[in-house]
Amino acid sequence: MLSLAYPWVLVFVLMPLLMQWRRPARSQVDAPVLPTGHWLSGLPGVSHQGNATPWWRKVLLGLLWLLLVLALARPQYVGEQVQLPVTGRDLMLVVDISPSMDERDMVIQGRSINRLQAVKHVLNDFISRRKGDRLGLILFGTEPYVQAPLTFDLETVRALMVESGLGMAGRATAIGDAIGLAVKRLRERPQEQRVAVLLTDGANTAGEISPDKATEIAAAAGVRLYTIGIGADTMVQRGLLGSRRVNPSRDLDEGLLTRMAQATGGQYFRARSLPELEMIYESINQLESIELEGKHYRPVTELFVWPAGIAAGIWLMLVAVQTAARRRQSRAEPQGGQSHG
């Protein structure tokens, strides 16, 4: 909608009329008198020789004054209400992409998928619901690396998660190094609420920092860890000698993940299936909810340049007309003088 920042300025529209009304009466000898008012006497396009100002000049001068007053009132276009990103939390997703995440013990719509595919499926919805948080993404295997720094751009974080591939970071599992890197990135942010969500299907088998040491660092930095152990308890393997039941999550160190969560004020979750994984991220959404009320603004577009620009154009046109008239007059005066002699 259109509005004026300084509507009271519009009272100056009446100033020429007030100055005309307050001007004392003068005798005929005191002419020239400007029919448009004394306030115009210094403007281009106004007769200074006692002649009546042409009507079109009066109209242009009046329009010029109206436009200047309107520009001073500062017209604005106020747009629709927009929700501001709320810095609720700095939340880092720490995802294991070691080759063990290729285990196909997850099911979606009757179709077997591997663990990383299940994680991508669930994180797609989780990320979209974290509006107001800065999200980052760390992928790890033998070494961790930052796939996406902390950002409000959730679409980019989601796209980078989808593009991640198994074994990109090596074949081992460096949980301690991954948490250490997450804490380092979170500690750079001046926020009180710092959260890391660690998802893995194994135990720490590589890295320079032990998971327990990384947990101490996280606790000291005020980073809350939510740990998720992913993998089914049993699955059927078919071989030459027939089928047998195995535990595909035998390498999962649940004791370590539980200690890490408890030491930092977080929580440990166990995801044995895709529905359980979905419920876990729903629980994290509730535990780390975001309050967005009252964080809105309306974009404002300044429009004063339009009346000001039109007024400047009218001014230049009047100057050009007056200059041309003076040149014609100066050329005519010598000719008139010669014929008189």
Side-chain angles (χ1 to χ4, degrees):
M1 62 180 180
L2 295 176
S3 65
L4 297 175
Y6 310 116
W8 55 269
V9 174
L10 294 179
V11 300
F12 288 107
V13 170
L14 303 175
M15 182 179 291
L17 297 177
L18 293 175
M19 295 183 67
Q20 173 102 0
W21 176 67
R22 291 179 60 86
R23 183 171 57 83
R26 297 183 181 181
S27 65
Q28 291 290 106
V29 181
D30 290 334
V33 175
L34 294 174
T36 51
H38 183 71
W39 68 282
L40 297 175
S41 60
L43 294 176
V46 178
S47 175
H48 298 271
Q49 305 298 325
N51 300 323
T53 303
W55 67 268
W56 60 269
R57 291 188 183 180
K58 295 180 183 180
V59 172
L60 289 179
L61 288 168
L63 180 60
L64 171 62
W65 179 252
L66 290 175
L67 289 170
L68 289 176
V69 172
L70 180 60
L72 289 174
R74 207 170 134 195
Q76 301 171 329
Y77 175 77
V78 182
E80 295 296 326
Q81 186 169 268
V82 177
Q83 183 171 292
L84 282 169
V86 178
T87 309
R89 288 162 186 76
D90 292 322
L91 195 151
M92 186 68 75
L93 302 173
V94 187
V95 180
D96 185 352
I97 58 169
S98 60
S100 60
M101 291 287 287
D102 194 29
E103 189 71 65
R104 304 180 71 84
D105 58 354
M106 297 284 138
V107 179
I108 180 172
Q109 298 178 349
R111 179 172 57 91
S112 295
I113 59 175
N114 65 34
R115 295 168 179 174
L116 184 57
Q117 289 172 325
V119 172
K120 291 179 180 180
H121 176 78
V122 175
L123 281 182
N124 186 61
D125 179 64
F126 177 79
I127 291 172
S128 66
R129 298 173 64 181
R130 299 309 303 183
K131 292 179 181 178
D133 279 351
R134 290 190 186 93
L135 255 63
L137 177 63
I138 291 177
L139 304 177
F140 73 97
T142 306
E143 294 181 356
Y145 64 94
V146 178
Q147 183 75 341
L150 289 165
T151 177
F152 286 120
D153 188 357
L154 304 186
E155 291 297 326
T156 297
V157 177
R158 182 192 292 111
L160 291 173
M161 182 65 228
V162 171
E163 294 171 1
S164 62
L166 291 163
M168 290 172 56
R171 304 187 64 83
T173 307
I175 295 176
D177 285 2
I179 293 300
L181 180 58
V183 172
K184 179 181 178 182
R185 290 288 179 162
L186 288 168
R187 192 163 49 189
E188 295 174 356
R189 310 302 304 189
Q191 297 296 331
E192 297 179 357
Q193 299 293 333
R194 299 164 180 168
V195 179
V197 179
L198 168 69
L199 186 141
T200 183
D201 66 345
N204 190 73
T205 58
E208 299 179 1
I209 303 175
S210 69
D212 290 319
K213 182 62 177 178
T215 301
E216 293 179 13
I217 297 173
V223 176
R224 192 158 46 254
L225 297 179
Y226 290 93
T227 57
I228 303 173
I230 186 172
D233 285 336
T234 61
M235 67 178 297
V236 177
Q237 283 188 344
R238 292 179 173 83
L240 296 175
L241 301 177
S243 300
R244 64 190 181 99
R245 288 187 174 275
V246 297
N247 179 11
S249 302
R250 55 187 175 275
D251 295 329
L252 180 62
D253 192 345
E254 292 193 77
L256 171 64
L257 298 178
T258 301
R259 291 197 309 273
M260 294 175 69
Q262 291 178 348
T264 58
Q267 192 171 336
Y268 169 65
F269 300 94
R270 182 75 168 89
R272 299 173 180 83
S273 63
L274 186 61
E276 283 190 357
L277 186 59
E278 292 173 341
M279 291 178 61
I280 288 168
Y281 279 106
E282 176 61 30
S283 298
I284 294 175
N285 263 329
Q286 295 177 3
L287 290 168
E288 301 294 339
S289 59
I290 307 166
E291 182 60 56
L292 296 177
E293 293 183 4
K295 302 294 183 179
H296 300 86
Y297 83 107
R298 291 183 180 272
V300 176
T301 303
E302 297 289 348
L303 303 177
F304 69 89
V305 294
W306 293 100
I310 297 173
I314 294 174
W315 174 273
L316 292 174
M317 185 181 68
L318 290 173
V319 170
V321 170
Q322 187 176 36
T323 302
R326 285 177 177 176
R327 287 178 179 176
R328 287 195 302 269
Q329 183 179 0
S330 63
R331 286 196 299 266
E333 284 179 355
Q335 294 176 359
Q338 291 175 2
S339 61
H340 180 71

